[in-house]
Amino acid sequence: MTPYSAALLEWYRRERRPLPWRGETDPYRIWVSEVMLQQTQVETVKPYYHRFLARFPKLADLARAELLDVLAIWQGLGYYRRARCLHAAAQRVVAEHGGELPREPAVLRRLPGVGEYTAAAVASLAYGVPVAVVDGNVERVVSRWLALPDDPSTGAGRRAVRALLAERLPAAAPGDFNQAMMELGAMICLPASPRCERCPVTAWCRAYAEGEPARYPVRTAAKAPRRRLHICAVIRREGALLLAQRPAEGRWGGLWELPRVELAPEYDPAEGLRAGLRAALGIEVAVGAKLAGLRHAVSGESIELRAHVCDIVSGEPAALGYAAVGWSASPEELPLPTPQRHMLAMLAIQGGS
DNA sequence: AAGACGTGGTG
DNA sequence: TCACCAAGTCT
């Protein structure tokens, strides 16, 4: 146990936040929390964690469930592939591992949706296997600890971070060390303005000694988001709204939405919407007034989402470019992408559904 | 190996 | 309004 680890662990045991999964020993629950926490903040995860485990208390419950029920719990949390993978992995654990989550990182790693981080997290937190986790927090803490000159997301930086951790991970308490590193990154060693005055390990921190810890980790510049225009159709019939389910693969896979087209900038919006609905649903529509609009971002894109009222001129909706289509009088009960949920709320406020 | 994949908080 | 980023994984 190095002095750094001792100081870190002592701080962690004193200052750690009481989180719902803190101190959890059930490997299944630890796994669920780690998957939900991928690229997702603690406060966002909390309610989903409780709802998910109330609905699927044991791994076997999840394995038995319908995918749509899993997606219904997951809606709004994002990265929906995680839900599909969690469901598929649970079924595989039942089929191939007797219903018990494996303890070896290499075996865990073969489950869908379990990458290097999650395998290490489950192995170390649930089973005490001495393997280090590397997430965004750990990359930042280690980059500052050693004042690493390389971007930790590139080859040289990755190797440097893992080499340091392999050397310093205390074999007696790998789970606590891992959680302590992440907790330090989340509470003290913050990206923009680290709270060094409250940090237990400044004595060993090179970035602190240099005087400008926020310079680390070194990052290569990100590209500007591409701007996109999406138009969705509000088509009503007898008090119901036409909804379509997206294909299982890709963005918002398996979720429902108002039929939507993505427009290239050179197209006329109304003409593009008509052509898109012809291709995706096999219907001819007349495009009416714009009812509402909003802007949202998804990785690498800034999307303006507009809704236009439309009337079907000919044809009956068919699931050509979608997994399914249907008329719904209560679309808010379906699993929807969050921007679609916002859009439906705006439409309801304006004119009812 | 660069890009896709969601959403929400922060400054 | 916008850039950045969060307990990453997959292709």
Side-chain angles (χ1 to χ4, degrees):
Chain A
M1 182 82 64
T2 64
Y4 179 102
S5 299
L8 177 68
L9 288 171
E10 200 263 329
W11 167 84
Y12 174 67
R13 283 162 191 155
R14 194 176 63 242
E15 300 285 343
R16 64 186 164 193
R17 293 167 290 175
L19 303 178
W21 45 87
R22 193 80 88 196
E24 182 57 61
T25 57
D26 179 354
Y28 165 65
R29 290 175 171 253
I30 291 170
W31 175 42
V32 169
S33 73
E34 292 301 339
V35 172
M36 287 186 169
L37 286 161
Q38 291 169 8
Q39 295 289 286
T40 309
Q41 312 223 345
V42 162
E43 289 307 316
T44 305
V45 165
K46 280 180 181 173
Y48 286 89
Y49 177 77
H50 292 300
R51 279 199 297 270
F52 192 95
L53 289 172
R55 180 72 179 73
F56 312 112
K58 298 291 182 189
L59 189 147
D61 301 316
L62 176 59
R64 272 197 296 273
E66 295 291 336
L67 177 58
L68 198 61
D69 293 332
V70 182
L71 280 174
I73 300 281
W74 206 273
Q75 71 163 309
L77 191 56
Y79 286 134
Y80 299 96
R81 185 173 57 187
R82 291 184 296 179
R84 295 195 293 276
C85 287
L86 200 57
H87 183 237
Q91 294 180 335
R92 195 184 298 182
V93 169
V94 167
E96 299 176 11
H97 302 285
E100 294 290 323
L101 220 46
R103 58 175 289 141
E104 302 80 13
V107 181
L108 287 162
R109 186 74 179 70
R110 288 186 216 121
L111 296 170
V114 178
E116 181 196 12
Y117 166 80
T118 306
V122 171
S124 65
L125 304 193
Y127 298 113
V129 175
V131 55
V133 303
V134 183
D135 71 337
N137 291 125
V138 175
E139 284 183 349
R140 187 170 58 256
V141 170
V142 172
S143 291
R144 288 174 179 167
W145 185 356
L146 301 186
L148 289 181
D150 298 301
D151 182 338
S153 62
T154 65
R158 282 177 56 85
R159 281 191 295 279
V161 169
R162 280 157 184 73
L164 182 279
L165 290 170
E167 189 182 323
R168 304 299 177 84
L169 181 76
D176 277 358
F177 178 83
N178 284 334
Q179 293 188 84
M181 290 287 279
M182 293 191 282
E183 189 77 350
L184 190 73
M187 303 304 294
I188 303 290
C189 200
L190 303 177
S193 37
R195 301 169 177 163
C196 297
E197 70 285 355
R198 294 170 48 190
C199 178
V201 291
T202 49
W204 303 275
C205 182
R206 288 200 189 175
Y208 178 77
E210 286 181 1
E212 243 189 303
R215 287 209 311 118
Y216 299 91
V218 173
R219 296 284 188 200
T220 50
K223 293 176 180 171
R226 304 175 296 282
R227 294 179 80 86
R228 298 288 190 226
L229 176 60
H230 292 195
I231 302 193
C232 53
V234 177
I235 304 175
R236 296 190 173 96
R237 176 185 287 180
E238 295 168 3
L241 209 47
L242 184 63
L243 273 291
Q245 187 186 29
R246 297 176 62 89
E249 298 304 313
R251 184 182 294 172
W252 298 307
L255 275 64
W256 291 75
E257 65 180 14
L258 295 167
R260 167 223 307 257
V261 297
E262 175 174 351
L263 258 40
E266 62 267 29
Y267 282 96
D268 171 69
E271 175 51 35
L273 183 53
R274 280 195 296 274
L277 295 183
R278 194 179 302 135
L281 299 175
I283 56 175
E284 289 295 329
V285 300
V287 177
K290 172 183 170 183
L291 299 178
L294 57 86
R295 179 169 287 283
H296 66 101
V298 295
S299 56
E301 296 183 4
S302 175
I303 299 174
E304 180 186 356
L305 180 63
R306 288 187 202 158
H308 279 257
V309 64
C310 292
D311 290 310
I312 297 180
V313 173
S314 67
E316 199 52 33
L320 305 178
Y322 279 103
V325 296
W327 300 93
S328 174
S330 47
E332 65 282 354
E333 292 172 10
L334 294 167
L336 303 167
T338 296
Q340 289 281 322
R341 187 166 295 285
H342 290 154
M343 178 62 81
L344 286 174
M346 294 171 77
L347 296 172
I349 290 167
Q350 287 176 5
S353 58

